[in-house]
Amino acid sequence: VGEALRAPLLSEASQKDVLRAAGSVRLKLPRLALGGRAGDLASNVVGSSLEFHDFRDYQPGDDVRQLDWSALARTGRPILRTRRAEVAPRTEIVVDGSRSMQATPEKAQRAQELALLLERVSRAQGLPPHVYWAGARAQRVDALPAAFDGREPLPFALPRLGLKTCGVRVVVSDLLFEGPLRPLFARLAEGASLLAFVQVLSREDRDPEPVGGAQLTDVETDEKLDQLVSEDAVANYLARLKAHQGLLDMEASRVRALVLRVNAEGPLDAAVRQSLLGGLLEPRRAA
Amino acid sequence: MSLGAPLGLLALLAAPALVAIYFLRRQQPPRPVSALFLWKGADRRAEAGPKWQRFTRELSLLLELLAVLAAAAFLADLRLGHRGPGAQTVVVLDSSMSMSAKGADGATVGAKAVAQLKALVEADDGLVTVVRSGPVPHVVIGPGAPRSALGGLAYLPLGPAHDLGPSIALAKELAGASRRVRVLTDRPLAEPPTADVEVIALGQPLENTGFTGAFRRDLNGQATVVLRVARFGPAAQVPVEIKTADGKPVHREALELGPGEEKAIKLQLPSGDRWVATLPDDALAADNAVALLPNPTRRLQVAVLLPEGPERSAVLKLLAADGAVDVTAGTGDLTIAAEGGVSREWTLRVGAPGEAHATLGPFFLDHHHPLLEEVDLTGTIWVAGASPKGVPLVTAGDWVLLSEQPDHVFHLNADLGRSSLTRQVAFPVLMANLLSARRDALDGVHPRHVALGAPLSLTVSPGHRWRLTGPSGDRDLLATGTVRLAGLEAPGEHRLLRDGAVADTFFVEPTQAAESDLRDRASGHVASSAPLGTADEAESPRSGWPLLLLGLLLALDWALSGVAPRRALRGAAAATERTA
């Protein structure tokens, strides 16, 4: 299933933590058929397995061997019997490479840990992992870049990633960007049997301190704002963050996607247990 | 547009300070955030609303800068438009006596000048400043007064001849640099005017007869009157009449005067009260009458404390000759005593103590001293003693013959019995000078008939409040001792008041040949291309619109930077709650 992902930014200890965590969990696959390359798992796309999928009218070029002769006899119309393709689904892990993911070192580390974790879990589960980096250059990567260098939010990098049909698609991002979420989520849900958003938030994102006068600088756009970061201002910020997350949840539910929130701080094990188990991951059963 | 108080522009210094503060305020400690849009809820709302709200802070700075401009405009007293600063007609009115001359049409030159002044102001349609010329120029209207102020113009040209230069210089100061100044006079200026001076001469050559001098002195019941009369025109017989104040004739005679001729009349008349000498009416009435006040020689109380002998005899003989001295044995205005005797103010101590010696000179005299005026010691045999103390006034070799100590104490180092001094003319002259100096040091005015424009000498003692009143104006005299004042500018009776009571009376006589001679008066016009001056309109209040604008700008700034953001913040919070 290809070469294992490398994460040079992560320390050796962090990588050991990731491997330890990956050994105890597995992806919680949906009961729906998956999409992917031909293999030993049923797909949700039409294929040549023996499992029935659907009927449709015959079109020139179709395999005449798949004609339902009984139906033809009954109705006089050439009706084709389609069957599910027999595929091995793959996992697409989309890592938000914008600079906001590196607002704090903990946040950058946690994002890379999660990407590596998901890659290892997917690989162990036999689902070929494809890791996409949505940074300054949007591309598939074999090694996680050392820096989050994207100056644009995730929606702008997404069209350049070349996402394909897959079984599981996981987006690791802080999801802190403005703009219409519905088309973005619809695009990410397209061709994926399971879509999950892992929202990584630092303490500064979740609970900023009232520090008084400050020049707030957006790490992605360098836009500046002189703001009195008072108790009231923080309260207003939290209210708007809560509203933003509510919007994320609502749009995700439209495309049957999961939104899982992970704190950047603290041990990885704890974060996995608290945020990912039960949703995207499940404990690995003993052999 | 003009500025009433240009120093108010210093308020503009607040503008760079404001900009600096604005940028300093932006230099807050930086703080990176992942999502700036979550912090600026108010601005998010603004972006959805009117676009100008996006620039609230820049707009606030702009409003504050405009407020600074408005404040500077108010402090600098900015005035806009023509009527604000106002064109200013700056005129110098010649106030010399010849401006009172009456032409063939019966109107005086002064009246024509006032009419011309009003016409100029009317044509300029602005403000007016009038400088009355004189030895000391006076601003009689303005600076920058409205036209209506001309109604209160008091203009009686009876002043002495004077240079118009100081008045024109003052007018230029009031008009502003390179601005037009108009001079209304009765003859073209002797000096060619500068480009910014417009000269309007309204005079005409006239023949005139006038007094050019008047003097009266009363002594021993006799009045000596000296009158000088000049004819500025063709030869004529001029009757001169002296009358009492109530019109009774005292003397009358006719003078035959040739063209430009001046003659003096000296009369000895029995003393009487005030007289008036008059000439027939002619072009200039002002110089046709002079007042002749009684002018007796001031009587002196002289205490002669000399022992019997040749010195005393010589002194008493001279004092008796003066005619206005009362000899006493006690105190007096002047004391004459033997050397070593009493010493008080104004004392002449006579004697030659110590070893006597005689000298024929040469004598060295301080002729600048009033006591030695016209004193000639040539041929005098002077027998003197030891040199006295004090500042030497007369010396011969190593000997001091006459000296002065403070408080007018004089030492006459002479043995009058053995000297030939009393037989020389020098001695009565010396004594007459002493009496004259003492009389001059008495409180009052000397002499009592002062020619127009001539300097005035008067003596006032300390310890009293002295004031001079009369047609030339009132003024307090702050100095004491012998005071010399510049020439008084108006003829007529003046009074010297001591503590409010009349201490002396004197008369400024309109006797000035330069003003009586009207033959060189002429009309003419020297134009000027310089623009009219502008006035600060000091009497009008500051314009209030900059202050109003300042208030509006500050209110708008407060609404933008204070109220609107708070309201937007509340709106954003409410919207967030609804979304949640």
Side-chain angles (χ1 to χ4, degrees):
Chain A
V1 290
E3 194 173 339
L5 181 69
R6 288 171 282 113
L9 183 67
L10 294 178
S11 64
E12 196 172 334
S14 291
Q15 298 204 25
K16 284 182 178 175
D17 289 344
V18 171
L19 291 178
R20 189 163 50 245
S24 61
V25 295
R26 52 171 286 155
L27 285 170
K28 186 178 177 184
L29 295 174
R31 285 179 292 175
L32 288 171
L34 303 174
R37 287 193 305 183
D40 54 0
L41 291 174
S43 169
N44 62 346
V45 296
V46 177
S48 57
S49 71
L50 294 176
E51 189 175 347
F52 172 76
H53 181 67
D54 203 355
F55 291 103
R56 69 169 171 81
D57 288 340
Y58 171 81
Q59 292 176 356
D62 285 341
D63 187 356
V64 294
R65 291 176 300 176
Q66 302 300 326
L67 275 173
D68 188 338
W69 298 105
S70 302
L72 177 62
R74 283 196 305 273
T75 64
R77 289 168 52 201
I79 294 177
L80 205 66
R81 180 188 291 267
T82 62
R83 302 174 192 280
R84 289 183 190 279
E86 190 175 284
V87 296
R90 62 193 178 105
T91 304
E92 286 184 345
I93 303 165
V94 180
V95 183
D96 183 356
S98 65
R99 289 159 62 108
S100 68
M101 296 298 291
Q102 208 170 15
T104 64
E106 295 83 3
K107 191 174 177 181
Q109 178 177 335
R110 183 51 43 92
Q112 296 219 357
E113 286 174 349
L114 290 172
L116 189 60
L117 171 74
L118 293 169
E119 192 268 350
R120 291 289 189 268
V121 168
S122 179
R123 183 178 296 279
Q125 214 166 331
L127 304 175
H130 289 192
V131 179
Y132 294 92
W133 183 261
R137 294 183 61 189
Q139 58 185 348
R140 183 182 168 191
V141 294
D142 295 327
L144 295 173
F148 293 79
D149 53 0
R151 287 192 167 271
E152 294 175 331
L154 180 63
F156 292 92
L158 196 59
R160 301 198 298 271
L161 289 176
L163 299 178
K164 297 180 175 61
T165 304
C166 65
V168 179
R169 182 171 291 148
V170 184
V171 179
V172 180
S173 169
D174 57 5
L175 298 177
L176 296 178
F177 46 78
E178 287 184 286
L181 296 174
R182 189 166 301 174
L184 170 69
F185 281 27
R187 170 68 188 90
L188 285 168
E190 189 180 327
S193 297
L194 173 63
L195 174 63
F197 294 96
V198 180
Q199 187 180 27
V200 182
L201 295 177
S202 67
R203 182 174 289 115
E204 280 298 299
D205 296 334
R206 300 188 313 269
D207 188 18
E209 292 182 7
V211 293
Q215 188 179 59
L216 304 181
T217 306
D218 193 298
V219 292
E220 287 180 11
T221 63
D222 283 337
E223 185 184 354
K224 292 177 172 50
L225 172 69
D226 289 318
Q227 175 81 41
L228 181 64
V229 185
S230 61
E231 299 278 358
D232 288 346
V234 169
N236 284 319
Y237 168 85
L238 292 176
R240 285 190 285 275
L241 176 63
K242 186 178 176 184
H244 181 69
Q245 289 182 325
L247 201 60
L248 288 174
D249 293 342
M250 186 176 69
E251 294 299 334
S253 67
R254 287 180 186 273
V255 294
R256 297 190 184 86
L258 298 172
V259 178
L260 308 164
R261 297 195 168 89
V262 179
N263 293 346
E265 298 78 15
L268 178 64
D269 276 348
V272 169
R273 280 197 309 275
Q274 290 170 7
S275 304
L276 302 185
L277 279 181
L280 179 62
L281 302 177
E282 58 185 2
R284 183 188 288 273
R285 287 187 292 272
Chain B
M1 184 174 71
S2 70
L3 299 176
L7 281 179
L9 291 180
L10 288 175
L12 290 177
L13 291 176
L18 186 65
V19 172
I21 290 170
Y22 174 78
F23 283 105
L24 282 175
R25 192 173 55 183
R26 293 180 68 94
Q27 298 299 316
Q28 303 280 7
R31 184 178 180 185
V33 295
S34 301
L36 194 63
F37 71 93
L38 292 177
W39 286 100
K40 50 180 183 179
D43 285 359
R44 288 177 67 193
R45 185 173 181 273
E47 285 176 13
K51 289 188 176 179
W52 60 268
Q53 284 190 13
R54 297 181 193 173
F55 307 104
T56 299
R57 296 211 49 186
E58 288 74 9
L59 195 58
S60 172
L61 174 65
L62 181 64
L63 289 172
E64 287 164 12
L65 287 175
L66 287 175
V68 168
L69 283 179
F74 176 74
L75 292 175
D77 194 14
L78 176 67
R79 290 161 192 269
L80 302 174
H82 171 73
R83 298 297 297 178
Q88 184 181 205
T89 306
V90 181
V91 175
V92 175
L93 262 183
D94 186 355
S95 71
S96 60
M97 192 168 66
S98 60
M99 291 289 284
S100 296
K102 199 182 295 182
D105 54 359
T108 66
V109 184
K112 292 177 186 174
V114 171
Q116 181 72 35
L117 167 64
K118 290 178 177 173
L120 290 173
V121 173
E122 195 71 30
D124 294 344
D125 189 26
L127 305 172
V128 59
T129 298
V130 178
V131 176
R132 192 187 70 206
S133 72
V136 178
H138 298 275
V139 180
V140 290
I141 291 181
R147 280 182 293 172
S148 58
L150 278 180
L153 175 64
Y155 176 57
L156 197 60
L158 291 174
H162 57 271
D163 180 13
L164 288 176
S167 304
I168 293 174
L170 174 63
K172 283 182 177 180
E173 289 285 331
L174 297 172
S178 303
R179 299 290 173 164
R180 194 188 312 177
V181 169
R182 293 187 173 102
V183 179
L184 294 176
T185 182
D186 59 353
R187 64 177 163 187
L189 298 187
E191 294 287 327
T194 52
D196 49 359
V197 177
E198 179 181 356
V199 181
I200 302 171
L202 301 167
Q204 56 181 305
L206 295 168
E207 58 182 76
N208 182 45
T209 306
F211 288 109
T212 55
F215 176 76
R216 171 178 168 176
R217 185 175 182 187
D218 295 75
L219 186 64
N220 298 328
Q222 287 289 314
T224 303
V225 173
V226 178
L227 295 172
R228 301 182 74 84
V229 182
R231 172 65 183 165
F232 303 103
Q237 189 182 57
V238 179
V240 180
E241 194 172 5
I242 300 175
K243 294 182 285 189
T244 61
D246 53 4
K248 292 178 183 173
V250 177
H251 178 79
R252 181 184 175 86
E253 73 175 88
L255 287 176
E256 292 289 342
L257 292 171
E261 188 181 5
E262 181 185 44
K263 280 186 177 175
I265 307 172
K266 184 172 183 179
L267 303 170
Q268 291 288 339
L269 301 170
S271 284
D273 202 358
R274 175 185 301 194
W275 300 327
V276 178
T278 58
L279 294 174
D281 193 20
D282 55 14
L284 184 60
D287 63 354
N288 290 339
V290 291
L292 298 169
L293 298 182
N295 186 21
T297 304
R298 298 178 175 215
R299 297 203 72 80
L300 281 179
Q301 304 290 316
V302 179
V304 180
L305 306 180
L306 293 170
E308 291 296 336
E311 289 95 345
R312 182 180 175 87
S313 300
V315 167
L316 289 178
K317 185 179 173 184
L318 288 176
L319 293 179
D322 180 80
V325 168
D326 298 323
V327 177
T328 67
T331 58
D333 300 317
L334 175 66
T335 302
I336 301 176
E339 190 62 67
V342 297
S343 183
R344 56 176 78 131
E345 268 194 342
W346 285 101
T347 299
L348 175 66
R349 302 174 72 170
V350 183
E355 185 184 351
H357 54 269
T359 179
L360 278 169
F363 302 100
F364 296 96
L365 290 79
D366 179 3
H367 283 292
H368 295 294
H369 198 282
L371 221 59
L372 298 175
E373 212 170 291
E374 303 293 332
V375 172
D376 183 4
L377 295 175
T378 307
T380 304
I381 301 170
W382 194 301
V383 178
S387 293
K389 297 176 182 177
V391 178
L393 300 179
V394 178
T395 59
D398 293 336
W399 297 298
V400 176
L401 306 181
L402 179 65
S403 69
E404 181 182 14
Q405 283 192 288
D407 294 333
H408 309 289
V409 176
F410 300 96
H411 297 273
L412 182 62
N413 180 15
D415 183 344
L416 294 182
R418 297 166 62 189
S419 300
S420 66
L421 183 60
T422 52
R423 294 188 294 278
Q424 302 281 334
V425 73
F427 188 63
V429 172
L430 180 68
M431 291 302 291
N433 286 344
L434 176 63
L435 296 176
S436 176
R438 183 63 190 105
R439 285 193 175 98
D440 288 345
L442 294 175
D443 289 344
V445 182
H446 323 283
R448 303 182 73 186
H449 296 93
V450 185
L452 183 66
L456 174 68
S457 177
L458 49 85
T459 303
V460 289
S461 55
H464 302 280
R465 184 167 174 268
W466 296 94
R467 187 173 174 79
L468 200 60
T469 67
S472 301
D474 299 346
R475 69 169 91 169
D476 287 317
L477 301 174
L478 304 178
T480 56
T482 299
V483 180
R484 197 172 174 84
L485 301 178
L488 298 177
E489 296 177 23
E493 185 177 312
H494 291 69
R495 292 185 176 87
L496 178 65
L497 306 181
R498 178 175 54 201
D499 298 329
V502 177
D504 205 353
T505 303
F506 63 99
F507 210 93
V508 176
E509 306 286 7
T511 51
Q512 234 188 7
E515 290 301 303
S516 295
D517 187 357
L518 305 175
R519 292 173 295 179
D520 59 348
R521 264 51 180 182
S523 60
H525 184 216
V526 179
S528 167
S529 59
L532 290 176
T534 54
D536 293 337
E537 206 173 20
E539 293 177 3
S540 64
R542 283 172 184 265
S543 299
W545 65 265
L547 207 56
L548 186 64
L549 181 62
L550 174 67
L552 283 175
L553 289 169
L554 291 179
L556 190 58
D557 182 36
W558 180 76
L560 275 179
S561 59
V563 175
R566 279 196 290 276
R567 190 177 296 160
L569 205 61
R570 283 197 296 273
T576 301
E577 287 299 323
R578 284 196 299 275
T579 304

